[in-house]
Amino acid sequence: MIEARELTKTYGGKTAVDRLTFTVRPGLVTGFLGPNGAGKSTTMRMILGLDTLTAGTVTVNGRRYDRLAAPLREVGSLLDARAVHGGRSVRGHLLGLARSNALGRARVDEVLETVGLTEVAGQRARGLSLGMGQRLGIAAALLGDPGVLILDEPVNGLDTEGIRWMRDLLKSLAGQGRTVFLSSHLMSEMELTADHLIVIGRGRLLADTDMRDFIETNSQGATLLRTADGEARPMRALLEAKGARVRPAADGGWRVTGLPPAVIGELAREHGLAVHQLTPVFSSLEEVYTSMTRTSVEYRGTRTEELVP
Ligand code: ADP
């Protein structure tokens, strides 16, 4: 469990994290979203005691990070996968970490196996590809078998297969009751991986919600409509006359917004038009997120203009 209360960070006069209050719960994958510069890394760094707090509190399992008796056994993190001692081998890097945290050698072999690096364990860490480096970073995060994982862009540099592997790993770690907190700019991946979302913009909390609720609540209601080929034009004209917006859908048919499905169905029946498909559709996470963060930026933009004399 991670708990932030009124967490604030200013650099000089600039507020990077602005009174953030949220809880990251065990047993779920929680996605941390926000545009570049929103304050995600700063927040993660403060959770991990790598940045001082200007105000507020943040705890892991009820304690400040620097008060944890054995931090690596409680929190595993991946912030910058390139932060590896270059000259060491993959195994040597993990052994060094294990030794300084009183963890056994056997655990090193276990995590190498978990992340699929056993065969390259003797190679120099510095020569690894970005994707392999990410796997090594995950291995280091898992070394102390921690209940809490904090991962900044963990799928960076992974190929399709690696991304799928990471998704399954994170879900299974959450399934074991761990707290998994991750940031990613890959929305489609986040939509598939995370159960819960924390969204920030300019250091402030914009949403803290279940993934499905977030998409369903903030979706622009739309309906996927298919009619017989010859009836598409009259159907479209009828819908537009009622004020609906009708666009071709990506995989055929029409995407209709501005009228609920029941009204569309009634309209077709009144005019004797055959409907082949009438399906409510939700926006993707990317669509919802983009419109939410755009609104937040515009809102702040207006406010800033008002302040200009
Ligand atoms: P994100 O991870 O969401 O991209 P960051 O946490 O990296 O955002 O940055 C949030 C804001 O804080 C940005 O405006 C960034 O320029 C600023 N910032 C981050 N680190 C520092 C620092 N060490 N000194 C000054 N400003 C910083």
Side-chain angles (χ1 to χ4, degrees), residues 145-164:
D145 200 15
V148 177
L149 286 152
I150 298 176
L151 312 167
D152 200 5
E153 297 279 348
V155 298
N156 233 0
L158 295 182
D159 58 13
T160 316
E161 165 55 29
I163 290 178
R164 193 174 314 122

Side-chain angles (χ1 to χ4, degrees), residues 121-244:
Q123 281 185 23
R124 272 191 1 160
R126 195 163 43 194
L128 293 180
S129 66
L130 186 55
M132 291 283 205
Q134 289 293 100
R135 286 176 187 254
L136 177 56
I138 294 289
L142 293 175
L143 202 57
D145 200 15
V148 177
L149 286 152
I150 298 176
L151 312 167
D152 200 5
E153 297 279 348
V155 298
N156 233 0
L158 295 182
D159 58 13
T160 316
E161 165 55 29
I163 290 178
R164 193 174 314 122
W165 166 79
M166 180 70 76
R167 185 193 311 151
D168 292 344
L169 176 69
L170 298 181
K171 280 173 176 286
S172 81
L173 290 167
Q176 293 160 6
R178 295 176 214 256
T179 302
V180 182
F181 191 39
L182 84 145
S183 71
S184 172
H185 68 281
L186 298 177
M187 294 295 152
S188 51
E189 190 43 41
M190 191 66 108
E191 187 171 352
L192 289 172
T193 311
D195 309 291
H196 195 89
L197 276 183
I198 292 172
V199 186
I200 64 170
R202 303 214 176 174
R204 294 202 182 163
L205 190 71
L206 297 179
D208 179 353
T209 169
D210 176 85
M211 171 73 79
R212 279 293 120 210
D213 284 355
F214 180 71
I215 292 175
E216 289 175 18
T217 310
N218 296 291
S219 274
Q220 265 215 336
T223 305
L224 183 66
L225 173 72
R226 284 176 206 270
T227 58
D229 281 349
E231 295 182 350
R233 266 166 180 277
M235 186 74 219
R236 181 177 187 167
L238 279 172
L239 291 165
E240 286 178 340
K242 290 275 180 198

Side-chain angles (χ1 to χ4, degrees), residues 11 14-17 34-43 51 152 200:
Y11 290 110
K14 192 168 176 296
T15 305
V17 174
N36 264 343
K40 302 180 298 297
S41 299
T42 305
T43 301
D51 239 338
D152 200 5
I200 64 170

